[in-house]
Amino acid sequence: MTDTRSRRLELSRRFALKTFGASAITGLSLLGASGAIASPVFRQYPFQLGIASGEPEADGFVIWTRLAPDPLEAGYGMLPAPVEVRWEVASDERMQNKVAEGTAIARPEIGHAVHVEVAGLEANRPYFYRFYSGRERSGIGRAKTTPALGQPIDKLRFGVAGCQSYEEGYYTAHRYLAGEEADFIFCYGDYIYEYRGDRIRAQWNGDVSENVRTHIGQEIHTIEDYRRRYAQYKMDPDLQAAHASAPWFVVWDDHEIDNNWVSDIDQDGTPASIFALRQQMAMQAYYEHMPLRPSSMPLGNRMQIYRQQRFGDLLDLNLLDTRQYRSDQPCDDRWAQYCDGVDDRNAQVLGREQEDWLFDKLKSSKAQWQVLAQQIMMMDLDRRIGEGEGRNLDSWGGYETPRDRVLAKVQDLGKDSVIVLTGDEHQNYAGELYLDGQRPSPKPIATEFVSTSITSGGDGVDVRSDTALIQKENECLKWHNAQRGYVMCDVTHEQWTTEFKTMDYVSKRGGAIKTRKRMAVAAGQPGSLAEA
């Protein structure tokens, strides 16, 4: 062993003794063959942020965890050194019939997260997985592979959820979502909220530590701040249960970075070069905490998150990014306004490259259903009650030209079973999509279902009086509700059924859930949307 390596190893051992305690070291076995710490002994449980799977394909999926013995402290209880993490996948929940196993390296450069791409599995069946590091073992998660490309399948059941402001309610809805036995869960964004909260749920029950209360009240300025914010959310046992129950497909909206950001523009007029630094930190923290493939790792302040997954001959899931390539909101992003900028012919929502990609995917699709899984409402609702017209300018309604291009392409391609899945609004909506929602043509082009928030907006109400008035002025909007919850979608070749699951309250623990409404649309008949 060279003198230089001996000195490095001795320094590593001293740091390990200080951080993990003397029991972490046994002779010279600190470093494994990979050069990573092979057998750490943790002072506290390292899997406090849970486990997750995502990005399922026909032969495998991603499994994720992040080592963080002290998630809210500087350094989160880890050495600034790589650590070995063992993983295993089994065909049974008791983990007795192992079908794959290996070792991953949790690197400090990405917050000691691991993103393992498991392959070589059978199509369209559940699997179970867990992690080990040193003497510690994670819980067991459930994943599921997708059907093979073009494989005939009869049905699919999946969840839609997002907008989960920690301060505004408990994650009881996630506990119910975990019990749905979904094939997958689509998270449309606002996984965290970056701003300083005026309320913290700890004040309601006093069951959150002072450490958590302190960090909730802090503004985000560094990547460590983002990591702590994710840790606050991911330490919640109900959210962990939802992650462990099924593979997730995730996309972001605005609050993963900054409220209402688009492209290189934030709401505060920050110079683009400075905002790019914040984007870079936020995107890295997002990657570190999501079950994404290593190919999704951000490069600077850019991250590839639009992608497609096919589910046999039944459904093509097109996951979109409506933030990174969008032009600035018109009319200074004022609520319920309308100005010339709404009709800007140069405006973008998806950007030309992503838009061309989507059109190619729609054109080549052989599935019964084509899904646009994204963040912002596509219905161009008139939000101004009474005289005049106003839009939600942070939605597709503020961007007439790109909105028209997408819907016209769906129409031109003859795709008559297109479903748009949306979040962001903190309300449930079901409606129909036309080129002009104020002057609808005889037949709608597609159907849109908007899922309410997990917690954002607090308990909510069954029907908001202002939304009821808006519905009267918008024929395309068929139903709405303003409680918290999530959406479940049951898909067959003949029919798409959306169940709107709502909580009676989220401001305290123990809320009950119910199916508030079922809405269905027949395949090939976008104008058939009705209560099921």
Side-chain angles (χ1 to χ4, degrees):
M1 183 181 297
T2 66
D3 290 343
T4 300
R5 185 175 180 191
S6 295
R7 286 195 295 271
R8 283 203 306 265
L9 183 54
E10 182 60 30
L11 286 172
S12 295
R13 295 166 81 179
R14 289 176 184 172
F15 206 160
L17 285 166
K18 181 179 179 181
T19 305
F20 290 108
S23 60
I25 312 300
T26 303
L28 295 178
S29 64
L30 173 64
L31 300 183
S34 65
I37 298 172
S39 300
V41 176
F42 299 95
R43 289 180 177 174
Q44 298 187 69
Y45 186 60
F47 298 108
Q48 293 191 44
L49 305 185
I51 58 175
S53 69
E55 303 299 292
E57 293 189 345
D59 70 337
F61 36 76
V62 173
I63 56 175
W64 169 94
T65 194
R66 180 182 167 224
L67 302 179
D70 291 298
L72 299 176
E73 297 299 326
Y76 49 90
M78 292 295 294
L79 286 167
V83 177
E84 289 187 359
V85 178
R86 304 185 309 281
W87 58 270
E88 60 185 20
V89 175
S91 60
D92 65 301
E93 194 169 4
R94 297 180 65 186
M95 304 298 293
Q96 294 184 337
N97 183 28
K98 286 193 291 187
V99 296
E101 59 185 328
T103 300
I105 305 301
R107 300 187 181 279
E109 296 88 347
I110 54 170
H112 288 97
V114 295
H115 302 75
V116 179
E117 295 183 285
V118 182
L121 305 180
E122 296 179 17
N124 199 30
R125 61 149 298 159
Y127 286 94
F128 303 88
Y129 63 95
R130 65 185 171 193
F131 296 92
Y132 298 82
S133 188
R135 301 172 183 172
E136 303 291 348
R137 182 175 68 187
S138 77
I140 296 172
R142 172 185 174 271
K144 188 176 182 181
T145 52
T146 67
L149 185 64
Q151 175 184 346
I153 58 172
D154 296 330
K155 61 183 179 179
L156 197 63
R157 178 172 172 82
F158 65 92
V160 182
C163 289
Q164 49 189 36
S165 174
Y166 189 93
E167 296 94 330
E168 295 189 80
Y170 287 96
Y171 290 166
T172 317
H174 272 307
R175 178 64 60 176
Y176 289 112
L177 180 58
E180 295 282 2
E181 296 188 353
D183 292 309
F184 67 88
I185 294 168
F186 164 53
C187 178
Y188 56 74
D190 289 348
Y191 190 98
I192 64 166
Y193 281 71
E194 85 298 350
Y195 52 69
R196 179 172 180 165
D198 295 327
R199 300 184 289 149
I200 52 177
R201 62 182 183 179
Q203 293 173 342
W204 302 332
N205 262 16
D207 60 350
V208 177
S209 71
E210 183 62 33
N211 201 6
V212 174
R213 286 199 292 270
T214 297
H215 288 299
I216 289 173
Q218 290 182 349
E219 298 283 358
I220 287 182
H221 298 288
T222 69
I223 190 169
E224 290 299 331
D225 294 334
Y226 276 108
R227 284 171 176 165
R228 277 191 288 266
R229 190 62 54 88
Y230 278 102
Q232 291 160 7
Y233 282 58
K234 295 186 81 70
M235 288 170 72
D236 185 279
D238 292 338
L239 177 56
Q240 289 189 13
H243 271 297
S245 71
W248 284 43
F249 289 102
V250 298
V251 292
W252 59 37
D253 196 13
D254 53 337
H255 290 292
E256 286 85 353
I257 297 178
D258 188 46
N259 182 53
N260 281 12
W261 75 278
V262 293
S263 186
D264 60 355
I265 303 166
D266 75 351
Q267 64 179 353
D268 302 315
T270 305
S273 59
I274 302 300
F275 183 53
L277 297 176
R278 179 168 188 171
Q279 289 176 305
Q280 184 172 341
M281 293 184 295
M283 290 177 185
Q284 178 174 335
Y286 181 76
Y287 172 76
E288 289 175 354
H289 292 87
M290 296 296 119
L292 292 163
R293 296 188 180 277
S295 58
S296 294
M297 186 181 295
L299 297 174
N301 68 328
R302 287 291 177 260
M303 185 172 174
Q304 174 72 39
I305 66 166
Y306 68 82
R307 57 208 189 277
Q308 184 192 68
Q309 184 55 53
R310 296 179 174 179
F311 290 83
D313 65 345
L314 183 58
L315 183 149
D316 284 353
L317 183 72
N318 301 288
L319 297 137
L320 306 183
D321 178 354
T322 61
R323 288 288 168 188
Q324 201 167 182
Y325 314 103
R326 199 199 315 180
S327 51
D328 199 6
Q329 293 96 338
C331 320
D332 296 322
D333 200 11
R334 299 189 304 274
W335 179 255
Q337 300 294 309
Y338 196 103
C339 65
D340 291 343
V342 173
D343 300 308
D344 182 0
R345 298 185 64 82
N346 296 315
Q348 298 287 337
V349 172
L350 303 178
R352 284 295 189 180
E353 184 176 334
Q354 181 181 189
E355 195 174 278
D356 289 344
W357 169 88
L358 174 61
F359 293 169
D360 286 344
K361 294 298 184 184
L362 290 173
K363 182 178 181 180
S364 63
S365 177
K366 300 295 193 295
Q368 178 66 75
W369 300 92
Q370 295 79 40
V371 179
L372 309 189
Q374 47 100 61
Q375 301 80 34
I376 53 174
M377 184 184 281
M378 192 168 275
M379 281 183 281
D380 55 344
L381 300 182
D382 177 6
R383 309 281 184 139
R384 182 180 294 180
I385 299 168
E387 295 297 322
E389 185 175 355
R391 302 283 180 85
N392 175 359
L393 299 166
D394 191 47
S395 74
W396 284 88
Y399 299 81
E400 284 284 6
T401 299
R403 179 183 180 277
D404 287 353
R405 278 200 304 268
V406 170
L407 291 177
K409 177 60 71 172
V410 169
Q411 196 171 49
D412 292 346
L413 291 173
K415 300 298 183 181
D416 53 12
S417 297
V418 172
I419 302 292
V420 178
L421 297 177
T422 304
D424 183 58
E425 297 276 343
H426 304 174
Q427 294 192 61
N428 288 309
Y429 294 93
E432 298 169 340
L433 294 171
Y434 302 86
L435 287 175
D436 187 344
Q438 305 310 304
R439 288 163 284 278
S441 55
K443 181 181 178 181
I445 298 170
T447 305
E448 182 171 23
F449 297 111
V450 181
S451 176
T452 188
S453 59
I454 290 289
T455 57
S456 301
D459 288 334
V461 295
D462 185 33
V463 177
R464 276 177 43 169
S465 58
D466 58 338
T467 310
L469 293 173
I470 288 171
Q471 182 173 353
K472 290 181 179 180
E473 299 190 12
N474 291 270
E475 181 182 338
C476 61
L477 178 58
K478 302 303 181 183
W479 180 77
H480 67 94
N481 162 271
Q483 293 168 290
R484 308 286 73 85
Y486 56 89
V487 153
M488 294 300 299
C489 300
D490 285 287
V491 187
T492 67
H493 282 271
E494 295 73 35
Q495 182 171 280
W496 181 296
T497 304
T498 294
E499 295 182 338
F500 293 93
K501 304 281 192 173
T502 59
M503 299 289 303
D504 54 357
Y505 54 81
V506 296
S507 56
K508 56 182 183 286
R509 295 194 184 279
I513 200 162
K514 67 178 180 181
T515 299
R516 176 62 184 81
K517 181 74 72 172
R518 287 186 180 89
M519 300 289 285
V521 59
Q525 301 178 44
S528 64
L529 178 63
E531 185 171 357

